[in-house]
Amino acid sequence: MTPRATASEISAIITKLIETSLSDQQNWPSFINSRGLTEIGIQNNPSLSIGMKNIPYEEIYLTLLADNAFHIKMLDGALLQMCYRFAGDSIHSHRLCMFPAPDLDSFDNQPDLYLQDELYGDIVGRNIVHFPIRFDFCIDEALHVDVKHPKSHLTLGQYPNCRIPLACPLTPARFISFILRNFYHTAFYSTGLETIDCSQSFQETITSNEKLIAHILA
């Protein structure tokens, strides 16, 4: 996928989530060219660095929310980011994140309102533990360590050494499909979101050794 196609896919996803009433707030992708690199970020280019800091998660979430550092704020407060960097038409890196709300105040105050609506059944169960999810990719060979630090990997819960290998970088459509299918399952199928086109892909980057351990085909 080219930079333009990637940015267009992010915009199409945002539009689709607005149409299905799953997006509570949104910021459109930014598109910046500089010295041969193309950055696809978030409207008004807020800082995203706090998402990687070793500080309480609630502080991370509230700062991202206050700074509008997200493409999509879901109905349950989860913040979704889809940021890419390209060198020419080749993908250089990406960071695709979901930062769930640390608590659901509205659910705590009006639980019956949510429990009666099947669209919320996947996100408001009393036994559910919400945790951040991040898909990282970087083509830089200096950062790649076979198995220990795959070029494309999934990190769960902000664990610094959690790097589950992925076969390739994720397109925006494959990222959002993963999030919706697994964490908004009922809404995903009841609103027609399963029709999102995930046929586009990036080139495989996983190594033979990384294929020997648990990994995601993507």
Side-chain angles (χ1 to χ4, degrees):
M1 290 181 67
T2 65
R4 287 290 179 188
T6 302
S8 294
E9 191 163 273
I10 294 173
S11 294
I13 288 168
I14 293 173
T15 300
K16 191 71 172 178
L17 292 182
I18 294 171
E19 292 173 348
T20 54
S21 300
L22 285 175
S23 176
D24 182 57
Q25 187 178 342
Q26 52 281 323
N27 295 292
W28 299 97
S30 61
F31 196 89
I32 300 174
N33 289 306
S34 177
R35 299 180 181 179
L37 295 176
T38 300
E39 301 270 0
I40 300 172
I42 298 170
Q43 183 180 349
N44 298 321
N45 297 306
S47 174
L48 307 180
S49 61
I50 194 168
M52 300 294 292
K53 292 184 177 179
N54 184 21
I55 59 176
Y57 176 69
E58 184 174 4
E59 183 177 342
I60 292 174
Y61 175 87
L62 291 176
T63 300
L64 293 174
L65 179 62
D67 292 346
N68 282 321
F70 56 86
H71 285 104
I72 301 162
K73 178 188 174 190
M74 300 291 282
L75 282 178
D76 63 337
L79 309 179
L80 305 184
Q81 301 171 343
M82 293 170 279
C83 300
Y84 290 81
R85 175 182 290 174
F86 285 81
D89 282 341
S90 298
I91 185 170
H92 177 274
S93 58
H94 72 46
R95 177 156 293 163
L96 314 173
C97 305
M98 179 176 79
F99 292 97
D103 57 61
L104 292 171
D105 289 338
S106 56
F107 171 68
D108 292 337
N109 294 332
Q110 297 177 296
D112 292 340
L113 184 66
Y114 285 86
L115 293 173
Q116 291 171 7
D117 189 336
E118 65 174 10
L119 291 183
Y120 292 93
D122 299 305
I123 59 177
V124 298
R126 298 186 187 277
N127 61 336
I128 291 176
V129 178
H130 299 271
F131 57 92
I133 294 170
R134 191 177 77 245
F135 290 93
D136 286 324
F137 170 74
C138 186
I139 198 66
D140 190 347
E141 292 289 350
L143 298 177
H144 175 239
V145 180
D146 195 21
V147 176
K148 291 183 178 181
H149 198 297
K151 290 180 180 177
S152 185
H153 60 267
L154 165 63
T155 296
L156 302 174
Q158 302 283 77
Y159 282 85
N161 293 306
C162 175
R163 300 187 185 98
I164 303 166
L166 267 71
C168 59
L170 282 186
T171 64
R174 293 192 179 195
F175 167 70
I176 202 68
S177 180
F178 174 90
I179 295 297
L180 295 176
R181 186 187 305 275
N182 290 290
F183 303 103
Y184 301 86
H185 186 84
T186 302
F188 181 65
Y189 286 103
S190 65
T191 58
L193 289 168
E194 78 273 15
T195 61
I196 291 175
D197 184 6
C198 295
S199 60
Q200 297 295 313
S201 63
F202 291 110
Q203 185 174 353
E204 185 175 284
T205 57
I206 193 170
T207 68
S208 56
N209 286 331
E210 290 161 358
K211 289 181 179 180
L212 296 177
I213 61 175
H215 63 279
I216 299 175
L217 293 177

